[in-house]
Amino acid sequence: MIQVQGLNKWFGDHHVLRDIDLEVAQGEVVVVIGPSGSGKSTLCRCLNRLETAGSGDILIDGVPAPVEGRELARLRADVGMVFQSFNLFQHKSVLENVMLAPVKVRGVSRTEAESTARQLLARVGIAEQAGKLPAQLSGGQQQRAAIARALAMRPKVMLFDEPTSALDPEMVGEVLDVMVQLAADGMTMVVVTHEMGFARRAADRVVFMDGGQIVETGEPNAFFEAPTTDRARDFLAKVLTH
Amino acid sequence: MSAILDHLPEFWEGLIVTLQLTAASFLGAAVVGLVITAMRVSPVGVLRGIGTAYVETFQNLPLLVLLVLAVFGLPEIGIKADLLVTAIVVIALYEAAYIAEALRSGVNAVSAGQGEAARALGLTFGQSLRHVILPQALRTVIQPLGNIFIALTMNTSLAAAIGVVDLTAAANRVNLMEAQPIPIFVGAGLAYALIAACAGFVTGRLERRLVMVR
């Protein structure tokens, strides 16, 4: 579904992604973990070209991801994205947030878009919040609305860029539950997160990044029980002791 | 007082012209300003350059100079237009630069994540601007836009200098007959103040109604 080959990225002199190769199969859930500044968010943002890559290839569904213009917009329509800071459209109700892209990008009629939107909001458990503005919702509800908004485009793959990092601890669970359900339904997912519990529960594969490189990758059980690299062992020792 | 009451029809006609100048040039300025803003925030370098050049040009020339240049310059290149129309177009183009700057500050106030979310959903740059960025930008710059509207209203009086018989020109004409400048121009000034007060009232209402919970 996603193939990344030899991806490099610089911010000025800072080499943030070094020779990244990554494949994500249809229906696979890949969880990317690693310390802050390891490049995992940048990698996620490169996949739908919110960040431009320095060099290397990104193929979505076997097709090279277009660099700009309408073709790029068409690609992004098929790749859902969920952000750390939700980024719901502040001036629109939750329902309108979910309806906007299907109507404007896919040309779906408003009535059809609305019924789909209401179904999705029910699926993520916030049907009764449909008429409210984003600022009137809790963080967890906002993030679930953002997931519904992305799903409304019927994406082939979903990218999650630290979806629970901005949430109060008691709201993390409700968002992760939605994501676990989504994974169980067979959605192809790339999830950048610090939630090791989610990685264990829902990942088909864990990718550990450090210093802009993929250091280790493996099945979640094998990775968490017996990481093969020192850096992964160090990282897990730090995050799992608390 | 009778100097004003005796000439109410002249004042009235002048006021109508001033209102026409104000409404038409603000409308034009809003449309052109919107286009310039879109150019200034576009990903295409050439468009950004043109937008910047436009703003710099019109913000750095006095409106009176532009008006006089248009009145004398346009016939030279074969364009003959009604004085009122010329004044409307020139004021619109001039004020568009200010509206564009106000709108751009509004666009900058919208968090980058909003545009990213819009693009990530597959909206094109134009669609993101139209459905996500500009509606939010507008809400934050209602007050500055109201100020520009008031400044524009006052600036329309410069049209008197190129022969448009607006409220200021009408007052001037009446004064030539009556020679009572204080009551006549105080009266004209009050009429301008009334327009400005209405604009202030409307922007205040709009701001309260469209205020965005963040």
Side-chain angles (χ1 to χ4, degrees):
Chain A
M1 177 59 69
I2 301 179
Q3 286 168 285
V4 178
Q5 291 156 354
L7 181 67
N8 277 280
K9 163 104 187 148
W10 288 265
F11 284 128
D13 288 338
H14 186 37
H15 199 167
V16 282
L17 292 178
R18 297 167 190 261
D19 299 317
I20 301 286
D21 294 308
L22 179 69
E23 282 206 29
V24 181
Q26 169 95 45
E28 193 179 17
V29 177
V30 171
V31 171
V32 184
I33 62 173
S36 296
S38 58
K40 51 195 193 310
S41 272
T42 309
L43 170 61
C44 187
R45 291 164 57 85
C46 277
L47 295 179
N48 67 352
R49 295 219 192 271
L50 278 182
E51 298 284 353
T52 52
S55 67
D57 298 314
I58 296 167
L59 288 83
I60 307 284
D61 225 0
V63 185
V67 178
E68 55 179 27
R70 287 183 182 279
E71 294 77 31
L72 176 57
R74 216 163 294 144
L75 163 92
R76 285 170 172 160
D78 289 335
V79 179
M81 178 136 189
V82 175
F83 299 85
Q84 180 176 349
S85 49
F86 328 135
N87 293 344
L88 289 171
F89 305 135
Q90 298 291 317
H91 62 305
K92 288 184 179 291
S93 72
V94 168
L95 184 69
E96 288 169 331
N97 262 276
V98 182
M99 289 169 60
L100 178 71
V103 171
K104 298 300 173 188
V105 177
R106 296 258 195 253
V108 174
S109 75
R110 285 191 66 84
T111 39
E112 193 187 330
E114 183 175 337
S115 81
T116 312
R118 289 193 186 279
Q119 280 167 26
L120 285 167
L121 289 174
R123 183 169 155 194
V124 299
I126 50 168
E128 66 286 359
Q129 315 292 341
K132 291 190 184 165
L133 287 171
Q136 297 168 308
L137 268 55
S138 73
Q141 291 171 330
Q142 288 195 50
Q143 193 60 298
R144 286 185 280 157
I147 293 172
R149 177 176 71 176
L151 290 175
M153 294 298 283
R154 305 190 188 287
K156 295 175 183 163
V157 48
M158 287 280 284
L159 309 176
F160 293 83
D161 184 6
E162 303 202 21
T164 57
S165 299
L167 295 176
D168 291 338
E170 76 267 26
M171 293 169 181
V172 170
E174 63 193 56
V175 172
L176 291 181
D177 286 344
V178 169
M179 291 167 61
V180 168
Q181 189 55 49
L182 202 55
D185 292 346
M187 176 62 78
T188 309
M189 291 162 64
V190 175
V191 184
V192 173
T193 187
H194 293 291
E195 297 296 330
M196 299 304 145
F198 173 80
R200 273 175 190 269
R201 203 149 48 120
D204 294 313
R205 190 147 55 92
V206 174
V207 170
F208 172 69
M209 287 184 72
D210 191 18
Q213 287 172 310
I214 293 180
V215 177
E216 187 171 341
T217 167
E219 302 252 315
N221 276 334
F223 175 82
F224 285 110
E225 299 309 326
T228 55
T229 58
D230 289 341
R231 278 195 279 180
R233 218 169 293 137
D234 277 357
F235 176 74
L236 289 178
K238 277 178 201 147
V239 296
L240 293 181
T241 47
H242 300 291
Chain B
M1 200 62 202
S2 67
I4 295 179
L5 294 177
D6 291 349
H7 296 279
L8 271 183
E10 286 100 317
F11 276 109
W12 181 247
E13 275 168 37
L15 181 64
I16 295 296
V17 172
T18 288
L19 289 174
Q20 284 173 338
L21 274 170
T22 304
S25 56
F26 187 77
L27 206 68
V31 173
V32 177
L34 209 58
V35 173
I36 298 297
T37 305
M39 289 169 88
R40 290 205 82 179
V41 299
S42 106
V44 183
V46 182
L47 293 179
R48 279 202 306 275
I50 296 173
T52 308
Y54 182 95
V55 170
E56 289 302 323
T57 307
F58 282 97
Q59 280 198 333
N60 291 323
L61 288 171
L63 178 55
L64 187 56
V65 169
L66 291 170
L67 283 167
V68 173
L69 268 178
V71 166
F72 291 107
L74 289 181
E76 293 278 319
I77 55 170
I79 301 174
K80 289 207 175 79
D82 182 63
L83 280 178
L84 181 65
V85 173
T86 307
I88 286 171
V89 170
V90 171
I91 295 172
L93 293 178
Y94 174 83
E95 297 288 346
Y98 292 87
I99 289 188
E101 283 301 86
L103 282 177
R104 191 168 66 100
S105 76
V107 169
N108 290 341
V110 178
S111 78
Q114 296 285 308
E116 280 181 358
R119 278 180 283 140
L121 283 166
L123 273 74
T124 60
F125 173 76
Q127 287 175 321
S128 313
L129 209 56
R130 186 162 152 228
H131 300 296
V132 177
I133 311 288
L134 282 176
Q136 296 186 51
L138 258 174
R139 284 167 165 81
T140 62
V141 296
I142 289 172
Q143 199 56 55
L145 286 180
N147 292 344
I148 291 173
F149 181 87
I150 292 170
L152 179 148
T153 309
M154 306 308 158
N155 278 340
T156 58
S157 65
L158 288 174
I162 58 164
V164 177
V165 188
D166 70 337
L167 184 57
T168 301
N172 205 23
R173 286 185 175 192
V174 172
N175 185 43
L176 287 178
M177 288 182 270
E178 301 285 342
Q180 292 193 42
I182 307 286
I184 288 171
F185 281 99
V186 165
L190 284 175
Y192 280 109
L194 197 66
I195 300 176
C198 289
F201 178 74
V202 170
T203 47
R205 286 293 293 270
L206 275 179
E207 206 168 38
R208 273 194 295 282
R209 232 185 66 189
L210 294 176
V211 70
M212 203 167 41
V213 214
R214 287 192 210 250

